[in-house]
Amino acid sequence: MIEISQLEKIYSTGKDSMIAVKSTNLTIKEGEILGIVGESGSGKSTLGKMIIGLEEPSKGSITYKGQQLWNKQKYNRVQAGEIQTVFQDPQSSLDPRMTVKDIILEPLLAFPKLERKTKGNKERLLQLIKRVGLKEEHLDRYPHEFSGGQRQRIAIARALITDPSFIVLDEPTSALDVSVQAQVLNLLKELQKERNLTYLFISHNMSVIRYMCERVAVMFKGEMVEIGDTKELFENPQHPYTQKLLSSVLTIQKDEDKQSIVL
Ligand code: ADP
Ligand code: MG
């Protein structure tokens, strides 16, 4: 579904520049949940942003179903809503002045054809809001009236309104309490199966990755250092950095740190 080749991102700030993503190759297969794991600052979000069109690659290419996503510094939007995203922090990613209904419907505005097809299609909106675990009366309320978990459900409905095939989930549950986190992860898993979605699932949490992903790629300082089936990678990590990530998970779980999650 997605082919990433020699992809690179260099951020320039004044005189300084830093390589956030180093010459990366990656294939995302249709229907899979591919995890990206790595500590803060390793380039995970930058990679995701280049795929969804929020950051322009410095080098390399990304194709979606064989079509270039970036052409001459322009992001190709012909896929009309096929690629969507859910960010980490539901607080800051939802416009506080918009009602839930307008937030969920907003992505359709970018795609006039889709909008015409679905406008006034209240049934579809109601079905979607119920599917993510919210109620009809929530539609006229504002984001601040909801809990963190509910806000993330709103963000998920918003991502699904265009009927996408591929979703980049960037730390979608990292800001949530452990029990709420498990509920949202289960919802995401169910939706992926029901709708035959493909996910790029970004997380710094190895336990969450193990629960969610069939394959996982490990990023370290902008480089993809290891990629493999999740089970194999957890049982037999090859790269020292992956080994370190895994050993810290075990320590965290023993201490029952609130970061850890046992599903
Ligand atoms: P992660 O999501 O793994 O935490 P990021 O992709 O957000 O990592 O960041 C990778 C590196 O790029 C970090 O060192 C970060 O400080 C830097 N970075 C991210 N966004 C920008 C930006 N807009 N301008 C300059 N540097 C950035
Ligand atoms: Mg990030």
Side-chain angles (χ1 to χ4, degrees):
M1 182 166 263
I2 300 257
E3 282 279 0
I4 290 172
S5 151
Q6 306 282 303
L7 189 68
E8 205 157 293
K9 179 66 189 182
I10 301 167
Y11 286 115
S12 306
T13 42
K15 278 185 218 148
D16 294 327
S17 66
M18 64 99 50
I19 307 185
V21 174
K22 284 180 203 161
S23 189
T24 293
N25 300 312
L26 186 68
T27 301
I28 307 172
K29 302 176 203 163
E30 186 158 0
E32 79 169 338
I33 304 182
L34 174 68
I36 303 276
V37 72
E39 65 201 345
S40 178
S42 55
K44 307 182 298 297
S45 293
T46 300
L47 179 69
K49 284 176 181 171
M50 289 191 279
I51 299 173
I52 60 176
L54 285 181
E55 287 288 353
E56 183 196 333
S58 307
K59 280 186 200 150
S61 84
I62 312 170
T63 61
Y64 170 75
K65 293 185 175 170
Q67 289 187 60
Q68 289 292 340
L69 279 181
W70 284 93
N71 253 325
K72 300 188 181 111
Q73 278 124 38
K74 277 228 171 82
Y75 187 68
N76 177 354
R77 288 197 147 270
V78 292
Q79 281 78 21
E82 282 196 38
I83 299 178
Q84 284 293 349
T85 181
V86 176
F87 290 110
Q88 170 175 3
D89 183 5
Q91 185 98 50
S92 62
S93 62
L94 304 179
D95 189 330
R97 295 156 305 179
M98 285 169 74
T99 61
V100 169
K101 183 181 172 194
D102 289 342
I103 287 170
I104 295 174
L105 291 176
E106 192 191 27
L108 293 174
L109 301 177
F111 308 108
K113 261 197 198 145
L114 271 179
E115 201 202 1
R116 241 173 285 139
K117 216 164 62 185
T118 48
K119 206 170 190 175
N121 194 346
K122 194 149 184 242
E123 203 46 46
R124 194 178 128 86
L125 178 63
L126 287 180
Q127 258 176 16
L128 187 55
I129 191 118
K130 282 179 195 148
R131 182 60 196 92
V132 300
L134 296 167
K135 298 194 180 110
E136 182 173 1
E137 59 259 37
H138 290 148
L139 286 172
D140 296 319
R141 298 196 195 154
Y142 292 87
H144 74 266
E145 298 173 63
F146 294 89
S147 67
Q150 284 176 319
R151 277 199 289 264
Q152 209 55 318
R153 290 171 192 272
I154 298 168
I156 292 167
R158 175 187 160 91
L160 292 175
I161 195 74
T162 59
D163 208 6
S165 304
F166 176 68
I167 306 182
V168 173
L169 300 144
D170 191 352
E171 307 263 11
T173 61
S174 300
L176 306 175
D177 292 342
V178 171
S179 63
V180 179
Q181 189 172 11
Q183 291 165 11
V184 174
L185 290 176
N186 284 332
L187 173 66
L188 287 168
K189 253 192 163 179
E190 290 160 15
L191 290 167
Q192 189 261 343
K193 281 218 183 76
E194 278 168 31
R195 296 171 173 243
N196 191 31
L197 297 166
T198 306
Y199 289 166
L200 181 69
F201 189 94
I202 297 172
S203 179
H204 66 276
N205 186 320
M206 289 297 255
S207 307
V208 169
I209 289 279
R210 179 167 50 186
Y211 182 65
M212 289 298 288
C213 306
E214 289 130 42
R215 285 200 308 145
V216 56
V218 181
M219 275 188 93
F220 177 58
K221 296 189 173 171
E223 276 184 90
M224 208 68 80
V225 294
E226 186 163 357
I227 180 162
D229 290 338
T230 308
K231 193 164 177 287
E232 258 165 58
L233 191 126
F234 271 77
E235 277 167 11
N236 192 13
Q238 298 298 308
H239 194 276
Y241 178 67
T242 315
Q243 292 165 359
K244 184 191 151 251
L245 278 180
L246 282 168
S247 67
S248 60
V249 172
L250 296 177
T251 346
I252 287 169
Q253 282 184 342
K254 246 183 242 154
D255 296 337
E256 296 201 344
D257 184 292
K258 72 173 173 35
Q259 286 291 314
S260 87
I261 172 166
V262 185
L263 290 155

